[in-house]
Amino acid sequence: MTEYVVGRLDDIPQDGAVAVQAGRHLVAVFRVGDAVYALHNTCPHKGGFLCQGQVVADKKMVRCPWHYWNWSLETGALETDPRQKVRRFEVKVVDGEVVLTA
Amino acid sequence: MSEVGANKSRAQAEIVSPDPINENASRYEIIDTDVHFLPDWDVLRGYMPEPFKSKLTRYPLVGADFSPQYSTGVMGTGQDVMGTARTAEDVLKMMDELHTDMVMLVPGFQRPQSLYHKSWVSVLSAAYNDYLADKVLPVSDRIKAEIMINHRDPAAGAAEVKRVGDTPGFISVYTEYGGNYEPVGTAPHDPIFEAAAERDLAVTIHAGCFWQQMSPIHQGTRTWTELLGIASVGITMASVGAMIMQGLFDKFPDLHITVKEGGFWWLPEFALRGDDFYLSHPGDVSLVERKVEAGEEFLTKLPSEYLFENFRFSSQPMCLPSDPKHFQMLWELCRGEDMLLYSSDWPHATFDPPNWIFENAMISEEARVKILSANARNWFPRLR
C-alpha cells in the first residue's frame, strides 16, 4: 500500500469529489464538510463513475450518475442491498492535505 | 508521479477527468438504435394545425399518475437523467460524448398511443416527423430516425408512413405496444405494415403503453420494477406472439420488426413453448383474419423460425448474470450475436453505455462488431 497526496482539502469541492489515479487504482475522493471519503471510482453495476455522482451529504452517500445506485461513503455498502459493496480506501486529512492510502 | 515536500514516503496522486465510456468505444463503429429525441413542445406546436396548435399547450401527461419519480427521485415522465436532446445539435453532442457514429432517434414522448384522442396522436406524430424532416435529418447523415405514427388508427398510421416515408433519413416506422387495445401485430394494422414493407422500412415496436390504467397486464402493480422491469416483458412476448401466430410474416415475409426495450433473455422460453404449443394446438390458426383471407390452414414456419428471422432486439437494458458461464448459456440460447442491436436508451434512467460489450470476455471480436453496428446495417434495409 502506498500513501498518496491528493491535494489540499479545498481542492475537493464541498459535497463533491475528485477522481485520482493512485497507482493502478482509479479512486473517487469525496468531501462532506471537513470529512473525506474514498471509494473505487467505478460503480460495479454498469461502470458509471462515482466521482461524477451526486453526493447526498446528510446520508453520507454518493449516487451513481447513471442508474442512481446509492453507495455509502463510510462503508462502501449499497443502500438497497448492503451485502454489495464498492471498494473503500483509507483517506485522511493531514495538515490540510488529503492523504489517500491505495 | 513525484514525491512531495519533506515527506518522501508519499507520492502525488494525479487528479484526472476520466471518461466512463470504455476506451475501446472509439475504435469501433457504433450505431445506437434507441436514442430518445424530445423536441421543444412549442416548436412542435408550430408544425400542428389548428385547433391543436392553440389548444395543446403542453404534452399531455399520459398515464402519469404513476411515474418513475417514486423509484428514482427524478421528476418527469421522460426521466431525462442523462440530458435532453431537443435539436440536431444536441444529438450530435450526445453522440460525441458516447463515441457514437450513428443514432436512430425515437420519440421521447411517453405513452402517446395510450391517448384516447386518436386525433392528438396523429397530429403529434405528424408534427414530430415534420420537425425531424425539416430541422434534424438534413443536418447530418449520422442521424437517422423512425417515423412516429398513430397505430391505433391504422389508416392514419399508414397515411403518415406514405406521407413522410420517402424522406431521406427515416429508416423505420415506430410505435409503442401494450395498452388496453389490440396488439399492434393483428390484422387490422396491416395497412401500416403494408406501407412500411412497400418502402423498405422496418417497423419498431417499443415498450411503452403500459401503466396500470392502460394495460390489463399491469393492473395492480405498485412499483416501477413491476411496471417497466417485469410486466412489460410479458406484454412484449404477447405482442410478438400476436404477430407470429396471426400470420403477419406469412403475409409480409420480408418484414423486419425491431423490438426495443422489451427484454431479451425470454427468447428461449418463447421459442420452445411457442413451437410445442403450435404443433400441439394448430387448429385455430386457420381462423385468424389473415389466414381466412389467404385460405391457409397453418403457418408456413414454426413460431421460433419467425422469431429468429423476422425480429431483432435492442440490447438495453442488458442485465448480466454474475456468473460468466450463465451468460454464455443464455447468449447461445438467445443467439445474442445475431439477434442484438446495440442501444443505449439515452437519456433515460435505464441508460446502457456500450461498456458491457467491451468488458465481457465471453463476447467474441466478431460478435462485438456485429452487435455494435453490423447487425443494424444488415437489418435495416435503408442502412445497407
Side-chain angles (χ1 to χ4, degrees):
Chain A
M1 303 290 272
T2 304
E3 283 193 335
Y4 295 90
V5 176
V6 172
R8 307 290 301 176
L9 180 62
D10 288 343
D11 292 339
I12 306 174
Q14 189 61 260
D15 298 340
V18 295
V20 295
Q21 191 68 49
R24 63 188 174 88
H25 302 291
L26 186 58
V27 180
V29 182
F30 302 89
R31 176 185 176 189
V32 178
D34 289 336
V36 288
Y37 309 90
L39 301 175
H40 186 61
N41 191 44
T42 305
C43 179
H45 175 219
K46 294 209 172 180
F49 278 176
L50 299 182
C51 68
Q52 298 170 357
Q54 177 193 351
V55 171
V56 185
D58 59 336
K59 289 188 167 184
K60 293 191 173 58
M61 289 189 321
V62 60
R63 239 178 157 202
C64 177
W66 282 356
H67 305 100
Y68 298 158
W69 287 35
N70 291 326
W71 300 97
S72 166
L73 296 174
E74 294 179 309
T75 67
L78 183 65
E79 181 186 36
T80 316
D81 179 4
R83 293 170 298 180
Q84 300 188 41
K85 288 191 165 71
V86 64
R87 181 171 175 182
R88 193 179 64 82
F89 294 87
E90 291 300 323
V91 64
K92 58 192 175 187
V93 180
V94 181
D95 298 330
E97 280 188 330
V98 179
V99 177
L100 168 73
T101 303
Chain B
M1 211 173 289
S2 63
E3 294 184 333
V4 171
N7 192 336
K8 300 294 185 188
S9 65
R10 288 181 186 146
Q12 180 72 46
E14 183 187 358
I15 294 181
V16 293
S17 301
D19 182 355
I21 305 302
N22 188 289
E23 59 187 0
N24 290 313
S26 57
R27 294 177 40 230
Y28 291 79
E29 182 191 38
I30 297 180
I31 298 179
D32 187 340
T33 59
D34 193 22
V35 171
H36 290 272
F37 186 62
L38 193 64
D40 181 83
W41 183 254
D42 286 333
V43 171
L44 277 200
R45 285 172 64 210
Y47 289 84
M48 293 179 187
E50 293 292 0
F52 303 96
K53 182 191 290 189
S54 300
K55 297 280 188 183
L56 299 183
T57 54
R58 60 170 173 76
Y59 177 68
L61 298 175
V62 188
D65 48 348
F66 191 96
S67 89
Q69 71 197 46
Y70 306 113
S71 66
T72 63
V74 178
M75 298 298 286
T77 58
Q79 284 198 115
D80 289 357
V81 303
M82 305 296 294
T84 301
R86 298 195 185 282
T87 65
E89 290 68 30
D90 293 342
V91 175
L92 291 170
K93 179 171 178 285
M94 162 269 169
M95 292 172 71
D96 288 343
E97 288 172 358
L98 296 182
H99 309 291
T100 304
D101 297 278
M102 182 181 288
V103 290
M104 292 180 57
L105 299 182
V106 303
F109 299 105
Q110 301 290 298
R111 305 173 291 283
Q113 306 294 331
S114 294
L115 281 165
Y116 286 108
H117 297 75
K118 291 180 183 175
S119 57
W120 292 14
V121 191
S122 295
V123 165
L124 168 59
S125 298
Y128 174 82
N129 296 331
D130 284 342
Y131 176 68
L132 283 170
D134 187 22
K135 300 291 187 190
V136 181
L137 295 173
V139 172
S140 172
D141 281 344
R142 297 168 62 203
I143 303 176
K144 307 298 181 190
E146 304 194 330
I147 300 167
M148 185 176 177
I149 60 162
N150 172 6
H151 87 242
R152 293 179 59 216
D153 182 344
E160 184 64 10
V161 175
K162 293 174 184 173
R163 188 180 74 85
V164 299
D166 295 327
T167 305
F170 283 122
I171 62 172
S172 186
V173 174
Y174 174 94
T175 192
E176 295 180 328
Y177 59 91
N180 56 0
Y181 38 83
E182 286 206 27
V184 69
T186 59
H189 301 95
D190 278 357
I192 297 168
F193 297 118
E194 185 173 12
E198 285 173 353
R199 288 163 180 76
D200 276 342
L201 289 163
V203 175
T204 285
I205 59 170
H206 190 295
C209 298
F210 38 84
W211 259 250
Q212 298 95 324
Q213 71 275 41
M214 301 293 177
S215 162
I217 201 171
H218 292 84
Q219 281 194 3
T221 56
R222 287 161 170 78
T223 67
W224 194 237
T225 300
E226 293 168 84
L227 270 166
L228 180 61
I230 296 169
S232 65
V233 174
I235 212 160
T236 305
M237 295 175 76
S239 300
V240 169
M243 289 181 165
I244 291 174
M245 294 310 301
Q246 297 186 35
L248 176 63
F249 305 108
D250 290 340
K251 186 168 183 178
F252 303 104
D254 298 324
L255 192 61
H256 284 183
I257 304 291
T258 315
V259 181
K260 297 191 177 176
E261 215 171 338
F264 178 62
W265 296 132
W266 51 264
L267 263 61
E269 165 72 1
F270 185 105
L272 294 168
R273 192 178 174 101
D275 286 0
D276 189 74
F277 252 75
Y278 169 59
L279 292 171
S280 302
H281 315 90
D284 49 7
V285 169
S286 62
L287 301 175
V288 304
E289 293 95 321
R290 293 187 185 103
K291 291 298 176 186
V292 170
E293 181 184 295
E296 295 170 353
E297 194 171 3
F298 301 118
L299 297 176
T300 305
K301 301 175 186 173
L302 293 174
S304 63
E305 292 178 276
Y306 299 103
L307 179 67
F308 290 112
E309 291 173 15
N310 292 93
F311 291 88
R312 292 294 180 269
F313 296 82
S314 69
S315 62
Q316 168 281 336
M318 175 50 67
C319 304
L320 295 169
S322 54
D323 186 335
K325 180 174 79 227
H326 295 160
F327 175 84
Q328 184 70 16
M329 293 171 179
L330 285 167
W331 193 246
E332 195 173 318
L333 285 167
C334 295
R335 309 185 195 180
E337 179 173 333
D338 296 312
M339 297 299 289
L340 281 181
L341 313 175
Y342 167 66
S343 67
S344 72
D345 196 35
W346 190 96
H348 292 170
T350 40
F351 167 71
D352 234 2
N355 293 8
W356 67 273
I357 300 170
F358 300 109
E359 294 165 2
N360 192 322
M362 297 291 176
I363 298 177
S364 69
E365 177 67 13
E366 184 185 359
R368 198 168 284 147
V369 170
K370 288 166 86 170
I371 300 161
L372 287 170
S373 66
N375 285 349
R377 286 202 174 278
N378 288 328
W379 183 246
F380 296 101
R382 292 193 181 184
L383 286 187
R384 289 173 188 159

